[in-house]
Amino acid sequence: NAGVMQNPRHLVRRRGQEARLRCSPMKGHSHVYWYRQLPEEGLKFMVYLQKENIIDESGMPKERFSAEFPKEGPSILRIQQVVRGDSAAYFCASSPNFGANTEAFFGQGTRLTVV
Amino acid sequence: GQQVMQIPQYQHVQEGEDFTTYCNSSTTLSNIQWYKQRPGGHPVFLIQLVKSGEVKKQKRLTFQFGEAKKNSSLHITATQTTDVGTYFCAGPGGDKLIFGTGTRLQVFP
């Protein structure tokens, strides 16, 4: 049973470009969470999605950031017009159940560097 | 909003010494989870505690959930170099997990 798959593992973008980060949850999991981790810091919640629905996006910056989890295919975190401050590790986690009462399975993350 | 703090932020120990990290929530938690993140790696689930005053052990690791369900601790006995990493507690904040600030453990041989 494959774990949570994220790609790419490393992504370099110039300021002003777009970054697309992909996450395929574990088989049988329909709940996806995105977290951002700045260097030497903790995990900051960004968004919680179910298939075709955004459940909680309270941690998403109001501009330039968007997320989706279509009926078919991976969840996508999209960052438009990237700036240097967007450089971070972005982790996706999945769980089989609604809410935060069960273990979250994390992917290996995408390390975004904006130059 | 809900906050989950951990102390200390960093801990350097000699191999063989014990290590403890403390987790405090601003609100009562239905459960507390602990994760370990190795340098350059991703968070990996260690354990979940649910009951008030619960204590669980995993080999050299002892996890405790406070009576008031607002704090927790992780104690490692006789640390090894393989224990190096950042330890995070996490608790439910509505429909999502709120992670603590983390404690980075460095073990010197």
Side-chain angles (χ1 to χ4, degrees):
Chain A
N1 191 8
V4 178
M5 304 299 292
Q6 288 189 249
N7 68 81
R9 292 286 305 278
H10 300 275
L11 182 61
V12 179
R13 283 288 177 266
R14 295 186 184 278
R15 279 178 295 169
Q17 290 185 319
E18 178 180 287
R20 279 185 179 239
L21 287 60
R22 295 173 186 79
C23 169
S24 295
M26 284 184 71
K27 187 177 181 180
H29 289 190
S30 59
H31 303 262
V32 166
Y33 306 80
W34 285 93
Y35 287 84
R36 176 163 64 176
Q37 187 175 39
L38 294 170
E40 311 298 323
E41 294 193 10
L43 294 149
K44 302 298 183 188
F45 168 78
M46 298 183 75
V47 63
Y48 167 31
L49 310 107
Q50 280 183 275
K51 286 284 188 181
E52 300 184 276
N53 286 308
I54 297 175
I55 307 301
D56 184 339
E57 56 181 349
S58 58
M60 287 277 273
K62 293 288 185 282
E63 298 176 347
R64 302 188 298 108
F65 285 72
S66 62
E68 62 177 6
F69 190 14
K71 188 176 181 181
E72 301 291 337
S75 175
I76 306 287
L77 178 67
R78 183 183 176 205
I79 311 172
Q80 295 177 289
Q81 299 173 346
V82 295
V83 301
R84 288 235 171 95
D86 296 333
S87 295
Y90 292 83
F91 290 98
C92 165
S94 74
S95 71
N97 302 315
F98 173 82
N101 293 315
T102 56
E103 172 186 353
F105 296 81
F106 280 83
Q108 294 189 317
T110 294
R111 272 79 179 170
L112 173 65
T113 302
V114 179
V115 297
Chain B
Q2 180 184 1
Q3 291 188 339
V4 182
M5 305 297 293
Q6 283 182 253
I7 55 170
Q9 190 175 1
Y10 302 98
Q11 184 83 58
H12 299 170
V13 299
Q14 205 75 34
E15 190 173 21
E17 292 182 337
D18 292 356
F19 159 76
T20 304
T21 172
Y22 299 92
C23 173
N24 291 285
S25 169
S26 57
T27 60
T28 301
L29 302 170
S30 60
N31 71 86
I32 190 91
Q33 298 179 23
W34 284 91
Y35 291 78
K36 177 183 178 181
Q37 184 178 24
R38 294 183 186 275
H42 61 282
V44 175
F45 175 82
L46 294 175
I47 208 161
Q48 181 183 47
L49 304 170
V50 179
K51 298 177 183 175
S52 169
E54 187 172 14
V55 177
K56 285 188 177 180
K57 292 191 175 185
Q58 288 180 350
K59 297 183 180 178
R60 294 178 295 104
L61 278 61
T62 302
F63 303 84
Q64 188 167 12
F65 199 9
E67 294 290 341
K69 303 184 79 173
K70 293 183 72 173
N71 56 72
S72 181
S73 64
L74 158 59
H75 180 82
I76 303 179
T77 303
T79 54
Q80 300 175 358
T81 54
T82 53
D83 295 326
V84 165
T86 302
Y87 292 84
F88 292 99
C89 62
D95 49 24
K96 58 196 176 283
L97 272 176
I98 303 295
F99 280 80
T101 46
T103 296
R104 194 199 298 180
L105 173 63
Q106 181 63 263
V107 180
F108 296 108

